[in-house]
Amino acid sequence: MSRQDLARLIESARNMVVFTGAGISTESGIPDFRSPGGVWSQMKPIYFQDFVASEEKRRESWTRAFTGRAGWTGREPNAGHHAVAKLVEQGRVSAVITQNVDNLHQASGVPDDKVIELHGNASYATCLACGLRHELPQLKHEFETTGDIPTCYECGELVKTATISFGQPMPELQMRRATAATLSCDLFLVLGSSLVVYPAAEFPLLAKRRGAALAIVNREPTDQDEAADLVVHDEIGPTLSEVVLGDS
């Protein structure tokens, strides 16, 4: 399928949902998780249960966060992010469901209430008990000054980056929002996801079963290519720049 086919599909849609995975952010220099050379090939994930139970694991987790070792923050949105933001601005996209934790959709101009983060956000932290938001620069300063592992300013309980770790329950509110958006869309556009991580990978199939068109833009084949109405194996930034922004 061609970029022109994708352009026609987007033009005919009245209520799109965009679903993004690591592939849209690798073009900003953010490493993915699972491919050779990805994050988890260089360091083992810290499971949620271990973070809660072990002071050593909490210290390791915060050291990773403050040194930027995982590389999930500090990058700029690329052409793919800006094209998605343009579709939102045009009123074509009701929700951006993302598996990414890099905050780049918001940085590109997508309003917070349009972004549904299934795996959380690495740009800030939250208290595991009361939910209070904590900003990383302040936590980093205190960690580097005192060596103390961050705790909540309000209740004194454990604080963790606002990402969803292995073993941590999926966020119920975000899952409900994603389900509702998926059920109401007429075009479900996947950008840069291998569609192997569940339950997130259920959403494209749910949209398809409810009668929406399914389009996938990803460099490599996915397990859901055969179910899709349109598949484009190409870079996301250049593809969407041509399709949405009119760049060639």
Side-chain angles (χ1 to χ4, degrees):
M1 295 288 186
S2 69
R3 294 176 179 179
Q4 290 74 23
D5 295 322
L6 179 61
R8 285 191 288 270
L9 199 57
I10 291 174
E11 183 65 29
S12 65
R14 296 183 179 276
N15 181 13
M16 290 175 55
V17 164
V18 174
F19 179 93
T20 63
I24 194 172
S25 292
T26 54
E27 294 175 27
S28 287
I30 292 178
D32 66 11
F33 289 84
R34 292 170 176 78
S35 67
V39 173
W40 299 141
S41 68
Q42 300 177 42
M43 58 183 182
K44 293 182 179 179
I46 296 173
Y47 282 73
F48 180 69
Q49 296 86 340
D50 294 333
F51 179 92
V52 171
S54 168
E55 179 179 340
E56 179 184 357
K57 291 298 184 182
R58 288 196 294 277
R59 185 172 298 279
E60 181 181 352
S61 177
W62 281 112
T63 299
R64 291 181 183 182
F66 293 143
T67 59
R69 184 180 172 197
W72 294 327
T73 57
R75 302 290 183 167
E76 296 296 324
N78 61 56
H81 295 104
H82 290 301
V84 171
K86 186 67 173 179
L87 290 171
V88 174
E89 180 186 336
Q90 292 172 346
R92 296 182 179 275
V93 174
S94 60
V96 179
I97 305 171
T98 186
Q99 298 172 286
N100 300 332
V101 300
D102 50 42
N103 204 59
L104 291 184
H105 285 301
Q106 294 92 323
S108 70
V110 179
D112 284 340
D113 64 355
K114 295 288 188 182
V115 182
I116 302 174
E117 295 172 318
L118 299 181
H119 298 155
N121 191 308
S123 69
Y124 62 93
T126 54
C127 174
L128 294 179
C130 72
L132 183 69
R133 174 169 170 153
H134 294 64
E135 302 305 324
L136 293 186
Q138 185 175 359
L139 294 178
K140 180 179 180 180
H141 174 74
E142 294 172 358
F143 182 76
E144 292 178 343
T145 301
T146 67
D148 294 337
I149 297 172
T151 54
C152 182
Y153 300 136
E154 190 70 29
C155 70
E157 295 295 329
L158 296 181
V159 172
K160 177 183 171 294
T161 56
T163 55
I164 304 300
S165 300
F166 286 96
Q168 188 172 1
M170 294 291 285
E172 292 183 8
L173 175 59
Q174 305 294 349
M175 290 295 288
R176 287 199 300 270
R177 290 180 61 206
T179 299
T182 299
L183 291 174
S184 64
C185 74
D186 61 0
L187 172 59
F188 195 98
L189 176 60
V190 177
L191 301 174
S193 176
S194 57
L195 299 176
V196 297
V197 178
Y198 287 81
E202 288 283 1
F203 289 115
L205 299 176
L206 176 60
K208 181 68 176 176
R209 288 196 298 269
R210 287 298 292 257
L214 174 59
I216 299 173
V217 182
N218 196 57
R219 284 190 304 176
E220 305 296 332
T222 78
D223 290 344
Q224 296 185 22
D225 282 4
E226 290 188 3
D229 298 276
L230 185 149
V231 177
V232 178
H233 290 149
D234 205 343
E235 300 288 342
I236 294 165
T239 297
L240 291 189
S241 291
E242 180 178 330
V243 168
V244 177
L245 304 177
D247 300 334
S248 58

